[in-house]
Structure formats: structure tokens, C-alpha cells
Amino acid sequence: MKSLEELQAIYRLPLPELMHRAAEVHKAHRDYSDIQRCALLSIKTGGCPEDCTYCSQSAHYDSPVTRQPLMTVDEVRDKAQAARDAGATRFCMGAAWRSPKDGPEFDSVIEMVKSVRHLGMEACVTLGMLSDSQAERLAEAGLTAYNHNIDTSRRFYPKVITTRTFDDRIRTIQAVSRAGISVCSGGIIGMGETEEDRLMMLAELSVLETQPESVPINCLMPSQGTPLQMADEVDSIEIVRLIATARITFPNARVRLSAGRDRMNRELQILCFLAGADSIFFGEKLLTAPNPAASADAALFRAMGLPEPADCATTTCH
Ligand code: SAM
Ligand code: DTB
Ligand code: SF4
């Protein structure tokens, strides 16, 4: 658990000292070469009733995203298998729902989780708000982690989303933890929030009863038609500082360098790994937005002297 003041003291250290401390924590808890590769798939796209101002899938905005109904279990299994063959160890499935409805669609998601686990991969889903009974069914299906981002600070939250509250978010995270599923929760930077908001977000995550198993740090991918379409890019060193601060705050968690890598050069990504990031989304698409080509990631790993993932260009991963 860390207070805002403690986080500020860490974040504002001279950069070499901050990097050194983050590296010490990283080295003490994990092998540097162990960078997790997670593949991401949008299993139900667009038409979401929530008004998240960053999101291309909200029905409130006129974005170019084409709506797609829930994919079939067979389609998802094929995608997961291809991702596994390309070197992904975790398969994350996202649905543009406020919350899943019990019935045939939720039953299909349960089958998707089982089939991903059957392939020997970790399975993660992000489906919006969950009830206790839905969390329990996901746990029984063998779900590894549930992604539910708090996105930003409690005070900035109402400027980003009005159709649900920060506390709604926390309640789902608690239901997930109660069911015994690991929590994946982080946020987005570059939405107009301040440095203090970013650190308040980490402080909120650090007071959760069960510490998150993974903390995704997403850089906003401005989506056409959304209120944040013209947002400025985040300063590189601010990204590195936040990742290092997250690494020190959550020594046992995967800190995931998430959305926004397609706008980062190789050197910035390597700085993020040196700051303690130890997980990436891998594959040419996030949910609706682009991600670096698999061949670029293979080159990145080669440049770092780390074991390379298979090149998707030579497999059928998409
Ligand atoms: N509807 C579910 C929910 O909101 O929890 C699951 C899908 S939602 C797309 C998953 C997460 O993706 C969001 O919580 C947000 O943090 C992230 N995200 C969405 N759009 C983004 C964007 N344009 N740039 C960066 N991150 C984004
Ligand atoms: C997370 O923190 N980032 C992922 C995943 N969890 C679901 C989503 C990123 C979405 C980027 C924008 C898009 O692809 O539409
Ligand atoms: Fe819907 Fe999730 Fe996008 Fe918000 S972030 S609009 S809840 S899909």
C-alpha cells in the first residue's frame, strides 16, 4: 500500500536513481528475460452502451468501428491456437459490454475460457461489470485473470465516463477477487489527466485488498469520432517514470506496456522494459486499434538479446 506522497517521492526521483530502484525490484522478483506475451481478441465489437470518452466501441460516438456480434467458440479457439503457435502464452478476450447478460452469450464465453485453458494458455477476459455468480462461473471455467481497469484517478473518472462510477468499477474488482480470480487492473494515460491523477490511480490500485496480478499501462490511442480524438501524445519520459513507479509499487505484478506501442520507437520500448515492464500485447491488433507487427516485435526481442517469438508473418496468427 502506498500513499500519494510516497508515490510522488518515487516518481520524482532523478531518473537514473528511479531506474536503478525499479531494476532492483524487478531483478529481485523476476528474470529480466521473462516478458509475457499476451494476445488480444475482441470477441464482441462496438455498440457499447457506456460513454467512455476514449473508446472507439462506445455507441455514443460516431467512430468507424464496425459492430460485430459475439464470435463463436470455434472461431475463438482457432485464433487462440494461432496466437499460441506464434508465441503468446496468455489469450485475452474483450467484449464491448456494460455487463454480460446471463444466458447463451455468457455460456459461450464460459466455453471460450475453457477452450483457451484446454490449449494450455492462460485465459483472461474483460466483459464489463460482473455479478458474484458470473465471477464464480468464470472461476469454475478456469479463468486465470479478469481485466477491469480503473482507468484513472477517482477524481478524474467522472470527466472520462459518466455512465458508471469509480465505485462500480471497484465493486466488480472485489467480486472477481472474492471468486478467487486474479485481477488485472490498470489504466490509460494521455486523456488530459495530471501527473497527480496518474499517481492517484496507482495509489487506488495499491489499496485493493488483493493486489493486482497485472497492471496494464495503456497510452491513449485516439480514436476518430471520440471526444478524445485530438488528445496529445504522452511524453516519453513520463511513460517511463510511471512504469518504474508501478514496478516499485507492485513488485509481484506483471506491469504491462499495453496500448500505444505502435507509436513508440524501439528505444522507448526498451527503456520501458528497463523500467520494469514485463508484459506486452503481442499481435498486430489490440481490440480495434493497431499494435506493432509481429515481425517488429521479433526484431525488438532480437535487439534485446531475448528469446524471439515466432514471426506471425510466417504463421496464421491473424
Ligand atoms: N467493456 C469492457 C470494459 O470497459 O471493462 C471491456 C473492454 S474495454 C475496451 C478494456 C479497456 O481497454 C478499457 O478499460 C480501457 O482501459 C482500454 N481502452 C479502451 N480504449 C482505449 C484506447 N482508445 N486507448 C487506450 N486504452 C483503451
Ligand atoms: C487493457 O488494459 N488494454 C487492452 C486490454 N486491457 C483489453 C485494450 C486496449 C484497447 C486499445 C484500443 C482498441 O484496440 O480499441
Ligand atoms: Fe464499452 Fe469498455 Fe469501450 Fe467503455 S471501454 S465504451 S465499457 S467497450
Side-chain angles (χ1 to χ4, degrees), residues 4 8 34 36 51 68 78 94 118 130 162 179 196 204 232 242 253 265 293:
L4 175 62
Q8 282 169 329
D34 176 12
Q36 181 192 42
D51 70 353
Q68 301 281 353
D78 289 350
H118 194 69
L130 287 188
T162 68
E196 202 172 73
E204 292 278 0
D232 288 336
L242 193 69
N265 64 23

PDB file of all heavy atoms in Angstrom, residues 4 8 34 36 51 68 78 94 118 130 162 179 196 204 232 242 253 265 293:
ATOM      1  N   LEU A   4      -0.177   8.734  -1.813  1.00  0.00           N
ATOM      2  CA  LEU A   4       0.155   9.617  -2.931  1.00  0.00           C
ATOM      3  C   LEU A   4       1.524  10.257  -2.709  1.00  0.00           C
ATOM      4  O   LEU A   4       2.343  10.328  -3.635  1.00  0.00           O
ATOM      5  CB  LEU A   4      -0.931  10.694  -3.077  1.00  0.00           C
ATOM      6  CG  LEU A   4      -0.651  11.762  -4.135  1.00  0.00           C
ATOM      7  CD1 LEU A   4      -0.564  11.144  -5.535  1.00  0.00           C
ATOM      8  CD2 LEU A   4      -1.736  12.848  -4.111  1.00  0.00           C
ATOM      9  N   GLN A   8       4.689  10.040  -5.137  1.00  0.00           N
ATOM     10  CA  GLN A   8       5.302  11.242  -5.722  1.00  0.00           C
ATOM     11  C   GLN A   8       6.812  11.254  -5.457  1.00  0.00           C
ATOM     12  O   GLN A   8       7.604  11.604  -6.336  1.00  0.00           O
ATOM     13  CB  GLN A   8       4.660  12.512  -5.134  1.00  0.00           C
ATOM     14  CG  GLN A   8       3.303  12.784  -5.766  1.00  0.00           C
ATOM     15  CD  GLN A   8       2.522  13.858  -5.054  1.00  0.00           C
ATOM     16  OE1 GLN A   8       2.647  14.036  -3.840  1.00  0.00           O
ATOM     17  NE2 GLN A   8       1.693  14.585  -5.804  1.00  0.00           N
ATOM     18  N   ASP A  34      12.053 -12.658 -18.821  1.00  0.00           N
ATOM     19  CA  ASP A  34      10.702 -13.213 -18.778  1.00  0.00           C
ATOM     20  C   ASP A  34       9.681 -12.102 -19.090  1.00  0.00           C
ATOM     21  O   ASP A  34       9.120 -11.496 -18.186  1.00  0.00           O
ATOM     22  CB  ASP A  34      10.480 -13.817 -17.380  1.00  0.00           C
ATOM     23  CG  ASP A  34       9.069 -14.344 -17.177  1.00  0.00           C
ATOM     24  OD1 ASP A  34       8.333 -14.460 -18.172  1.00  0.00           O
ATOM     25  OD2 ASP A  34       8.715 -14.632 -16.019  1.00  0.00           O
ATOM     26  N   GLN A  36       6.173 -11.421 -20.660  1.00  0.00           N
ATOM     27  CA  GLN A  36       4.961 -12.170 -21.027  1.00  0.00           C
ATOM     28  C   GLN A  36       4.363 -11.609 -22.325  1.00  0.00           C
ATOM     29  O   GLN A  36       4.314 -10.391 -22.508  1.00  0.00           O
ATOM     30  CB  GLN A  36       3.953 -12.007 -19.888  1.00  0.00           C
ATOM     31  CG  GLN A  36       2.650 -12.728 -20.069  1.00  0.00           C
ATOM     32  CD  GLN A  36       1.619 -12.260 -19.026  1.00  0.00           C
ATOM     33  OE1 GLN A  36       1.504 -11.074 -18.738  1.00  0.00           O
ATOM     34  NE2 GLN A  36       0.900 -13.209 -18.457  1.00  0.00           N
ATOM     35  N   ASP A  51     -20.276   5.332 -22.056  1.00  0.00           N
ATOM     36  CA  ASP A  51     -19.822   6.522 -22.803  1.00  0.00           C
ATOM     37  C   ASP A  51     -18.338   6.858 -22.581  1.00  0.00           C
ATOM     38  O   ASP A  51     -17.964   8.042 -22.632  1.00  0.00           O
ATOM     39  CB  ASP A  51     -20.718   7.730 -22.494  1.00  0.00           C
ATOM     40  CG  ASP A  51     -20.540   8.248 -21.070  1.00  0.00           C
ATOM     41  OD1 ASP A  51     -19.826   7.602 -20.275  1.00  0.00           O
ATOM     42  OD2 ASP A  51     -21.114   9.315 -20.759  1.00  0.00           O
ATOM     43  N   GLN A  68     -19.649  -5.985 -34.436  1.00  0.00           N
ATOM     44  CA  GLN A  68     -19.595  -7.427 -34.707  1.00  0.00           C
ATOM     45  C   GLN A  68     -20.230  -8.140 -33.534  1.00  0.00           C
ATOM     46  O   GLN A  68     -19.864  -7.873 -32.386  1.00  0.00           O
ATOM     47  CB  GLN A  68     -18.138  -7.910 -34.804  1.00  0.00           C
ATOM     48  CG  GLN A  68     -17.279  -7.250 -35.882  1.00  0.00           C
ATOM     49  CD  GLN A  68     -17.550  -7.814 -37.273  1.00  0.00           C
ATOM     50  OE1 GLN A  68     -18.300  -8.788 -37.407  1.00  0.00           O
ATOM     51  NE2 GLN A  68     -16.971  -7.201 -38.280  1.00  0.00           N
ATOM     52  N   ASP A  78      -9.752 -21.118 -32.694  1.00  0.00           N
ATOM     53  CA  ASP A  78      -8.785 -21.047 -33.808  1.00  0.00           C
ATOM     54  C   ASP A  78      -7.820 -19.880 -33.621  1.00  0.00           C
ATOM     55  O   ASP A  78      -6.615 -20.000 -33.841  1.00  0.00           O
ATOM     56  CB  ASP A  78      -9.514 -20.875 -35.149  1.00  0.00           C
ATOM     57  CG  ASP A  78     -10.239 -22.157 -35.556  1.00  0.00           C
ATOM     58  OD1 ASP A  78     -10.004 -23.191 -34.900  1.00  0.00           O
ATOM     59  OD2 ASP A  78     -11.039 -22.106 -36.524  1.00  0.00           O
ATOM     60  N   GLY A  94     -11.850  -9.571 -25.150  1.00  0.00           N
ATOM     61  CA  GLY A  94     -12.582  -8.385 -24.700  1.00  0.00           C
ATOM     62  C   GLY A  94     -13.938  -8.283 -25.378  1.00  0.00           C
ATOM     63  O   GLY A  94     -14.075  -8.556 -26.576  1.00  0.00           O
ATOM     64  N   HIS A 118      -7.778 -25.199 -22.269  1.00  0.00           N
ATOM     65  CA  HIS A 118      -7.503 -26.523 -22.816  1.00  0.00           C
ATOM     66  C   HIS A 118      -6.280 -26.501 -23.750  1.00  0.00           C
ATOM     67  O   HIS A 118      -5.566 -27.490 -23.883  1.00  0.00           O
ATOM     68  CB  HIS A 118      -8.748 -27.005 -23.565  1.00  0.00           C
ATOM     69  CG  HIS A 118      -8.725 -28.455 -23.889  1.00  0.00           C
ATOM     70  ND1 HIS A 118      -8.819 -29.424 -22.912  1.00  0.00           N
ATOM     71  CD2 HIS A 118      -8.606 -29.112 -25.060  1.00  0.00           C
ATOM     72  CE1 HIS A 118      -8.739 -30.610 -23.487  1.00  0.00           C
ATOM     73  NE2 HIS A 118      -8.614 -30.449 -24.792  1.00  0.00           N
ATOM     74  N   LEU A 130     -19.402  -7.341 -13.435  1.00  0.00           N
ATOM     75  CA  LEU A 130     -19.801  -8.736 -13.180  1.00  0.00           C
ATOM     76  C   LEU A 130     -20.552  -8.852 -11.868  1.00  0.00           C
ATOM     77  O   LEU A 130     -20.263  -8.140 -10.915  1.00  0.00           O
ATOM     78  CB  LEU A 130     -18.554  -9.614 -13.013  1.00  0.00           C
ATOM     79  CG  LEU A 130     -17.689  -9.976 -14.203  1.00  0.00           C
ATOM     80  CD1 LEU A 130     -16.664 -11.015 -13.754  1.00  0.00           C
ATOM     81  CD2 LEU A 130     -18.507 -10.504 -15.370  1.00  0.00           C
ATOM     82  N   THR A 162     -19.370   8.836 -17.714  1.00  0.00           N
ATOM     83  CA  THR A 162     -20.471   9.261 -16.833  1.00  0.00           C
ATOM     84  C   THR A 162     -21.498   8.141 -16.619  1.00  0.00           C
ATOM     85  O   THR A 162     -22.353   8.249 -15.755  1.00  0.00           O
ATOM     86  CB  THR A 162     -21.222  10.496 -17.405  1.00  0.00           C
ATOM     87  OG1 THR A 162     -21.913  10.094 -18.590  1.00  0.00           O
ATOM     88  CG2 THR A 162     -20.278  11.645 -17.717  1.00  0.00           C
ATOM     89  N   ALA A 179     -14.171 -14.342  -5.922  1.00  0.00           N
ATOM     90  CA  ALA A 179     -14.327 -15.621  -6.629  1.00  0.00           C
ATOM     91  C   ALA A 179     -12.982 -16.342  -6.780  1.00  0.00           C
ATOM     92  O   ALA A 179     -12.923 -17.449  -7.311  1.00  0.00           O
ATOM     93  CB  ALA A 179     -14.964 -15.372  -7.994  1.00  0.00           C
ATOM     94  N   GLU A 196      -0.476  13.977 -10.939  1.00  0.00           N
ATOM     95  CA  GLU A 196      -1.078  13.561  -9.669  1.00  0.00           C
ATOM     96  C   GLU A 196      -2.186  12.524  -9.898  1.00  0.00           C
ATOM     97  O   GLU A 196      -2.297  11.546  -9.162  1.00  0.00           O
ATOM     98  CB  GLU A 196      -1.632  14.805  -8.964  1.00  0.00           C
ATOM     99  CG  GLU A 196      -1.793  14.620  -7.482  1.00  0.00           C
ATOM    100  CD  GLU A 196      -2.154  15.938  -6.786  1.00  0.00           C
ATOM    101  OE1 GLU A 196      -3.307  16.398  -6.938  1.00  0.00           O
ATOM    102  OE2 GLU A 196      -1.289  16.493  -6.116  1.00  0.00           O
ATOM    103  N   GLU A 204      -4.732   4.022  -5.701  1.00  0.00           N
ATOM    104  CA  GLU A 204      -6.016   3.302  -5.573  1.00  0.00           C
ATOM    105  C   GLU A 204      -5.805   1.798  -5.783  1.00  0.00           C
ATOM    106  O   GLU A 204      -6.386   0.976  -5.074  1.00  0.00           O
ATOM    107  CB  GLU A 204      -7.038   3.802  -6.601  1.00  0.00           C
ATOM    108  CG  GLU A 204      -7.526   5.209  -6.376  1.00  0.00           C
ATOM    109  CD  GLU A 204      -8.645   5.316  -5.326  1.00  0.00           C
ATOM    110  OE1 GLU A 204      -9.047   4.289  -4.759  1.00  0.00           O
ATOM    111  OE2 GLU A 204      -9.086   6.463  -5.085  1.00  0.00           O
ATOM    112  N   ASP A 232      -3.266  14.943 -27.118  1.00  0.00           N
ATOM    113  CA  ASP A 232      -1.818  14.945 -27.398  1.00  0.00           C
ATOM    114  C   ASP A 232      -1.178  13.637 -26.957  1.00  0.00           C
ATOM    115  O   ASP A 232      -1.640  13.005 -26.004  1.00  0.00           O
ATOM    116  CB  ASP A 232      -1.134  16.083 -26.617  1.00  0.00           C
ATOM    117  CG  ASP A 232      -1.484  17.435 -27.208  1.00  0.00           C
ATOM    118  OD1 ASP A 232      -1.824  17.487 -28.401  1.00  0.00           O
ATOM    119  OD2 ASP A 232      -1.427  18.427 -26.444  1.00  0.00           O
ATOM    120  N   LEU A 242       6.316   6.479 -15.003  1.00  0.00           N
ATOM    121  CA  LEU A 242       5.123   5.831 -14.442  1.00  0.00           C
ATOM    122  C   LEU A 242       5.325   4.314 -14.371  1.00  0.00           C
ATOM    123  O   LEU A 242       4.941   3.672 -13.389  1.00  0.00           O
ATOM    124  CB  LEU A 242       3.875   6.181 -15.268  1.00  0.00           C
ATOM    125  CG  LEU A 242       2.570   5.817 -14.576  1.00  0.00           C
ATOM    126  CD1 LEU A 242       2.324   6.723 -13.354  1.00  0.00           C
ATOM    127  CD2 LEU A 242       1.382   5.900 -15.525  1.00  0.00           C
ATOM    128  N   ALA A 253       3.646  -8.001  -9.481  1.00  0.00           N
ATOM    129  CA  ALA A 253       2.706  -7.953 -10.611  1.00  0.00           C
ATOM    130  C   ALA A 253       3.449  -7.876 -11.944  1.00  0.00           C
ATOM    131  O   ALA A 253       4.589  -7.420 -12.016  1.00  0.00           O
ATOM    132  CB  ALA A 253       1.803  -6.731 -10.468  1.00  0.00           C
ATOM    133  N   ASN A 265       9.055   4.279 -30.416  1.00  0.00           N
ATOM    134  CA  ASN A 265      10.179   3.682 -31.137  1.00  0.00           C
ATOM    135  C   ASN A 265      10.794   2.561 -30.283  1.00  0.00           C
ATOM    136  O   ASN A 265      10.405   2.352 -29.133  1.00  0.00           O
ATOM    137  CB  ASN A 265      11.200   4.748 -31.567  1.00  0.00           C
ATOM    138  CG  ASN A 265      11.846   5.434 -30.364  1.00  0.00           C
ATOM    139  OD1 ASN A 265      11.882   4.874 -29.269  1.00  0.00           O
ATOM    140  ND2 ASN A 265      12.358   6.628 -30.582  1.00  0.00           N
ATOM    141  N   ALA A 293       3.677  -4.801 -35.687  1.00  0.00           N
ATOM    142  CA  ALA A 293       3.694  -6.070 -36.432  1.00  0.00           C
ATOM    143  C   ALA A 293       4.510  -7.091 -35.650  1.00  0.00           C
ATOM    144  O   ALA A 293       5.469  -6.734 -34.951  1.00  0.00           O
ATOM    145  CB  ALA A 293       4.327  -5.843 -37.801  1.00  0.00           C
TER     146      ALA A 293
END
